[in-house]
Amino acid sequence: MATTPAIPPSTTTEAPDHGRERRRLHTKLKLATQIGEGIDGYVIGGIGMAMTALTADLHLSTLMEGLVGASPLIGIFVGGPLFGRLADRYGRRPVFLADMLIFLVGSVLQFFVTDGMQLFVIRLVMGVAIGGEYAIGAPLLSEYAPKQGRGRLLASLEISWYVGYALATVVGAVFEDVDGGWRWSLASSAVLAVVCVSLRGGIPESARWLLSKGRREEAEALIERYAIEIDVTAEIDELMATEQAGFGALFSKEHLRSTVFASVFWAALVLPYFAISTYWTQVFEALNMGDNAVAALLVYSFTAVAGVTAGCLVVDRIGRRRLLIPPFWITAGCLALVAVWPSSTPVIVCGFLFFIFLNAASSALTSVYPLEVFPTSLRATGVGFATAMSRVGAAIGTFLLPMGLDHYGARFVLLVGAGVLALGGLVSQFLAPETTDLDLANAARTAREKPTA
């Protein structure tokens, strides 16, 4: 098969109009993806401040309280693989718009719920859309991104997630003392969804996806029009090396390592964060610091923003592995320390601050690593599956945490969280590849062919 050599943008004479089109597309795509990630954080973060009030208004049992808290995470379990497979089969562009429309409808419907089951179903469907966003937003952006600085660009999506989470906390605090204020705070995500839908119109299909489907002429037209940095030879070679597509390929000998790594490291990062933050007030009350819970949650949210920003700034400088593995061990130690000395306010404050900051810094890699370890023909499917697996653990943790606090106390819950983080560190030590500054096709090949001890 004849191949076209990659032409690095730095050596290409670019027409002024093409340069403007490229910058306009990159800006629009980046904003559309970042706002989408921000809405994901907003939807999940908003429930933390609203939970106490809506539990009282809707007369939720402990079981239903756990289901409402975990519902988006359960939805992600379905939405990630489903939308990922659709994006790999039918294209990135249609899925990119469809999942945001689901967000918009779900956001509005939350305002009108009259019982816990309705809220559970609506947020479950919104969770499906969140899974779709993870499976399509970052992969589409990565397929237009240059290899140098790709890590920082993709990691910036996690900043958007934490900013959305923090913004939801602020909005929740504003409506905390308003009668029925939780309805307004949950439904306010519709404003962001409207903006995002307007941005996503007119975004073209991924040139890499077109190549993976044999639509080379269309792909090369996009590459020329937008001066996209793609190693076409490596992309086609990688396509030929991938013998099968779909869910089955994720568990083949060729891709199993990438599937296990992406799923486990992501799950280990988010499980303690989601579980603790969703029931922050209850955790602090169990530590006899309930009077400081709201202020601490605000500090928690903005410390996370600072942490993920730091991760974004260093991801291309220190490399992927250094940003992932040491923080796993340190954060495990932080939660274990709080569990051992739960009566010490300085230990609680410092332990949680270090945990939040470093966990968020490493979380920048959840928008980077999964996109780099799978080839184009499997990228959205692989990311969708890893997203689902990460949320299985997070959903279980969120569902069980209130019951764990009731039956076993804060010390047990924190030790379980420390154990999960330690497991993530161990798996990453042996499976995480170093993919910094590699073209996407070469990064996927490195993940497949070069085990790291």
Side-chain angles (χ1 to χ4, degrees):
M1 178 184 293
T3 57
T4 302
I7 304 175
S10 58
T11 61
T12 303
T13 301
E14 183 180 298
D17 286 344
H18 287 187
R20 282 195 294 271
E21 284 195 64
R22 181 185 67 180
R23 289 190 293 273
R24 189 181 301 115
L25 172 62
H26 281 189
T27 299
K28 189 175 183 180
L29 179 56
K30 184 178 178 181
L31 284 173
T33 309
Q34 285 181 324
I35 294 174
E37 288 283 328
I39 293 174
D40 295 347
Y42 195 96
V43 169
I44 293 175
I47 199 68
M49 289 296 293
M51 184 63 79
T52 300
L54 71 87
T55 296
D57 283 0
L58 300 179
H59 308 291
L60 302 187
S61 64
T62 302
L63 174 62
M64 184 54 68
E65 184 181 356
L67 287 173
V68 168
S71 54
L73 306 178
I74 300 170
I76 290 171
F77 174 72
V78 176
L82 174 63
F83 279 83
R85 186 68 193 116
L86 290 174
D88 276 339
R89 186 169 183 178
Y90 298 109
R92 314 316 197 201
R93 183 182 176 185
V95 178
F96 196 48
L97 182 60
D99 76 313
M100 193 50 56
L101 291 172
I102 296 174
F103 272 129
L104 178 56
V105 174
S107 296
V108 174
L109 289 179
Q110 288 181 106
F111 186 86
F112 299 100
V113 297
T114 57
D115 60 51
M117 183 54 68
Q118 291 177 2
L119 185 59
F120 167 74
V121 171
I122 291 170
R123 290 183 65 80
L124 181 71
V125 174
M126 294 177 74
V128 172
I130 293 176
E133 186 67 24
Y134 288 134
I136 182 55
L140 179 58
L141 183 60
S142 75
E143 290 171 359
Y144 272 97
K147 62 183 179 182
Q148 299 237 336
R150 184 181 63 235
R152 180 178 296 184
L153 175 63
L154 296 175
S156 70
L157 298 179
E158 285 301 301
I159 297 179
S160 300
W161 192 98
Y162 281 95
V163 168
Y165 193 102
L167 180 60
T169 302
V170 172
V171 171
V174 169
F175 285 104
E176 184 181 20
D177 296 326
V178 176
D179 185 30
W182 61 269
R183 296 180 183 274
W184 292 100
S185 63
L186 293 183
S188 61
S189 57
V191 177
L192 297 174
V194 167
V195 175
C196 201
V197 167
S198 67
L199 283 170
R200 295 190 174 191
I203 289 177
E205 187 52 85
S206 162
R208 292 181 188 268
W209 181 82
L210 291 170
L211 284 172
S212 76
K213 295 300 180 181
R215 295 161 61 177
R216 185 166 175 172
E217 290 185 7
E218 296 174 66
E220 289 179 340
L222 284 175
I223 292 170
E224 180 181 359
R225 179 177 179 181
Y226 296 110
I228 307 168
E229 182 183 333
I230 295 181
D231 188 335
V232 177
T233 300
E235 196 69 41
I236 293 175
D237 289 346
E238 183 66 14
L239 173 63
M240 295 176 65
T242 304
E243 297 180 355
Q244 53 179 321
F247 292 116
L250 297 178
F251 306 100
S252 66
K253 182 178 179 181
E254 189 178 17
H255 300 294
L256 181 60
R257 170 188 162 88
S258 295
T259 302
V260 171
F261 165 65
S263 301
V264 173
F265 103 84
W266 198 344
L269 278 175
V270 302
L271 189 155
Y273 185 89
F274 283 158
I276 293 174
S277 61
T278 299
Y279 299 103
W280 181 261
T281 301
Q282 293 91 323
V283 171
F284 255 50
E285 287 176 352
L287 293 170
N288 298 314
M289 294 185 65
D291 292 341
N292 303 309
V294 174
L297 182 56
L298 292 171
V299 173
Y300 184 109
S301 299
F302 286 100
T303 300
V305 173
V308 74
T309 301
C312 176
L313 293 175
V314 303
V315 63
D316 286 324
R317 296 183 181 182
I318 67 174
R320 315 307 196 226
R321 283 176 58 84
R322 288 182 181 177
L323 182 58
L324 183 65
I325 298 169
F328 260 133
W329 298 112
I330 296 171
T331 53
C334 289
L335 290 189
L337 196 63
V338 175
V340 172
W341 282 287
S343 59
S344 171
T345 299
V347 168
I348 292 173
V349 172
C350 293
F352 273 119
L353 284 178
F354 275 106
F355 159 69
I356 297 160
F357 184 87
L358 291 175
N359 180 271
S362 294
S363 292
L365 290 167
T366 62
S367 290
V368 180
Y369 251 143
L371 313 170
E372 296 179 335
V373 299
F374 295 106
T376 299
S377 58
L378 282 173
R379 183 164 296 119
T381 301
V383 172
F385 181 81
T387 301
M389 293 301 99
S390 74
R391 268 45 182 187
V392 168
I396 292 172
T398 303
F399 175 68
L400 294 179
L401 188 142
M403 289 178 275
L405 284 175
D406 285 345
H407 290 88
Y408 302 106
R411 177 174 294 183
F412 172 81
V413 167
L414 294 172
L415 286 176
V416 170
V420 170
L421 293 166
L423 175 63
L426 185 64
V427 170
S428 299
Q429 183 69 49
F430 289 98
L431 297 185
E434 186 52 76
T435 55
T436 304
D437 289 340
L438 295 179
D439 179 82
L440 281 179
N442 293 324
R445 186 177 299 112
T446 297
R448 186 175 67 246
E449 297 178 354
K450 297 182 179 179
T452 305

